[in-house]
Amino acid sequence: MYVLGIETSCDETAAALVCNGKKVLSNIISSTLAQHRKYGGVIPEIAARGHIQAIDLVVARAVKEAKIDFKKIGLIAVTAQPGLPGALLVGNVFAKVLGFALDLPLLEIDHTLAHLYAPFLDPDSRRRAAKFPFVGLAVSGGHTSLIFFKTFKQFKILGQTLDDAAGEAFDKVAKILNLPYPGGPEIERLARLQLKPKLRFNCARLKNTFDFSFSGIKTSVLYFVRDWEKNRKRPRVMPIKLKAEIASAFQLAVVEVLVEKSIAACKEKKVKDLVIGGGVAVNLKLRASMILKAESEGIKVHFAKIPYCLDNAAMVAGLAYQMLP
Ligand code: KG4
Ligand code: ZN
């Protein structure tokens, strides 16, 4: 079955065609990122207007690139939540109207769960896919959640962030260091200049729970930078070496807590597969540390392929196929 996925929860207007929940035939993403950059974060009004301008073209291109006729589509899937209300509205209204015009059923999909379906897209025949039950870590700019899946329809949230999401912390720390938005890739790039930082930041551990908290570490970085500015001898910008030290120490602390809690969740649930998706899953330090630790515990990690980590509609279409009765 060909499923058309539509995703407009944040600043990406995305559409994709996926066959039988696995094979991605097209994956089109248009973003208003450049317009948000000067504000240091996503402006909901700009995102919603961007979706209105792009959605028809993005959907048409996804169908054209998949080289299938609209008549061959069996289902439309759209991200219903969570996300920016105005942005979600555009995708949902478009999907409803298209479904009505083409006489197609419509399935509403949860964005966080879709991120955890991303590792199942375009499977590599040489690698074993994750098997139920498994634990999923959704780690992005909007969410940080650990979820236990018995099936795609039967799952339990084990823990989530109580304040900022991990990606949001990357974005905020980048802003403190005067780096552009989005901060994740910028911090990762800088951190590569200082692989063994002497500085140390810590994330709140929140004992005996799988919940996370990332707002404290962001404040620690802010205070550190403020102190440095107060004590500097003459007005000058922070040297790149110190910025790299801060970026690397921050990244290390976030990765440590994500690895620690994910492995602990797998052990508690006695599962051997850990599935990871979301924008922060692009981070190579996270990938390497998670794989290293998990494999030493006999747990297999399944990261989403890089093009399916950030917001996209292929993950929405793929999950929709699995949600069919
Ligand atoms: O999944 P996504 O596109 O959107 C949400 O659902 O939120 O994730 C975007 C987030 C941003 O916060 C961005 O800074 C972060 O993913 N991100 C990264 C990296 N690339 C993107 N965080 C850490 N390291 C990266 N390389
Ligand atoms: Zn997302």
Side-chain angles (χ1 to χ4, degrees):
M1 175 195 263
Y2 295 111
V3 180
L4 169 67
I6 295 177
E7 154 67 45
T8 63
S9 68
C10 194
D11 57 332
E12 283 91 6
T13 315
L17 260 143
V18 178
C19 181
N20 293 342
K22 295 271 162 73
K23 191 164 173 35
V24 180
L25 303 176
S26 64
N27 185 33
I28 308 298
I29 303 171
S30 158
S31 174
T32 43
L33 181 67
Q35 296 175 53
H36 301 286
R37 223 170 231 142
K38 64 173 177 251
Y39 302 103
V42 174
I43 306 297
E45 179 69 15
I46 294 176
R49 283 175 190 273
H51 294 317
I52 293 171
Q53 280 172 356
I55 186 119
D56 50 344
L57 301 171
V58 167
V59 169
R61 182 136 166 241
V63 176
K64 192 172 172 206
E65 232 174 65
K67 295 194 179 71
I68 65 152
D69 193 274
F70 269 102
K71 287 187 204 108
K72 290 242 170 91
I73 299 171
L75 174 72
I76 299 177
V78 63
T79 301
Q81 43 134 19
L84 304 170
L88 285 167
L89 204 63
V90 179
N92 279 261
V93 170
F94 189 90
K96 275 211 169 124
V97 172
L98 189 64
F100 183 73
L102 298 176
D103 196 20
L104 283 173
L106 179 73
L107 209 55
E108 296 186 334
I109 293 296
D110 181 284
H111 182 83
T112 313
L113 298 181
H115 269 305
L116 291 174
Y117 187 74
F120 294 89
L121 293 170
D122 278 346
D124 185 338
S125 56
R126 291 161 301 178
R127 289 192 84 236
R128 173 177 79 70
K131 286 191 205 136
F132 293 114
F134 60 78
V135 165
L137 169 69
V139 67
S140 77
H143 22 80
T144 309
S145 310
L146 274 168
I147 305 177
F148 174 63
F149 287 86
K150 270 191 185 160
T151 69
F152 286 118
K153 294 179 190 172
Q154 268 187 300
F155 55 86
K156 185 173 180 273
I157 297 177
L158 302 175
Q160 50 197 337
T161 182
L162 301 181
D163 38 57
D164 294 345
E168 195 179 350
F170 269 93
D171 295 335
K172 287 180 175 171
V173 165
K175 203 172 181 178
I176 295 169
L177 296 178
N178 273 322
L179 300 170
Y181 174 84
E186 301 290 332
I187 297 271
E188 180 172 17
R189 216 169 292 137
L190 254 184
R192 262 186 233 136
L193 302 176
Q194 180 50 276
L195 297 178
K196 290 194 176 132
K198 287 181 205 72
L199 246 176
R200 176 91 204 158
F201 294 113
N202 288 306
C203 285
R205 276 303 189 271
L206 308 178
K207 290 237 161 60
N208 304 322
T209 159
F210 292 117
D211 287 336
F212 299 91
S213 166
F214 295 104
S215 73
I217 186 164
K218 164 208 70 194
T219 312
S220 307
V221 174
L222 179 67
Y223 288 168
F224 180 89
V225 171
R226 274 196 193 158
D227 285 348
W228 180 85
E229 284 171 349
K230 231 188 280 163
N231 296 328
R232 69 188 159 183
K233 295 280 182 300
R234 56 193 156 86
R236 61 180 172 112
V237 289
M238 183 180 276
I240 189 87
K241 239 181 128 185
L242 180 56
K243 273 196 187 183
E245 178 82 17
I246 297 170
S248 186
F250 162 77
Q251 178 176 268
L252 201 65
V254 173
V255 165
E256 260 174 25
V257 76
L258 290 173
V259 170
E260 206 174 275
K261 295 225 172 201
S262 303
I263 304 295
C266 290
K267 282 179 158 176
E268 175 158 314
K269 289 296 174 188
K270 299 187 173 57
V271 303
K272 292 287 173 207
D273 287 285
L274 172 62
V275 161
I276 306 182
V280 182
V282 171
N283 189 285
L284 294 180
K285 178 73 190 163
L286 174 67
R287 286 184 175 242
S289 306
M290 192 69 89
I291 290 169
L292 205 68
K293 179 74 184 144
E295 293 198 343
S296 73
E297 302 281 354
I299 296 162
K300 190 147 183 54
V301 191
H302 308 264
F303 274 99
K305 293 199 168 89
I306 302 284
Y308 307 134
C309 283
L310 294 159
D311 286 351
N312 67 84
M315 63 188 193
V316 177
L319 179 59
Y321 178 79
Q322 306 296 346
M323 295 303 240
L324 288 172

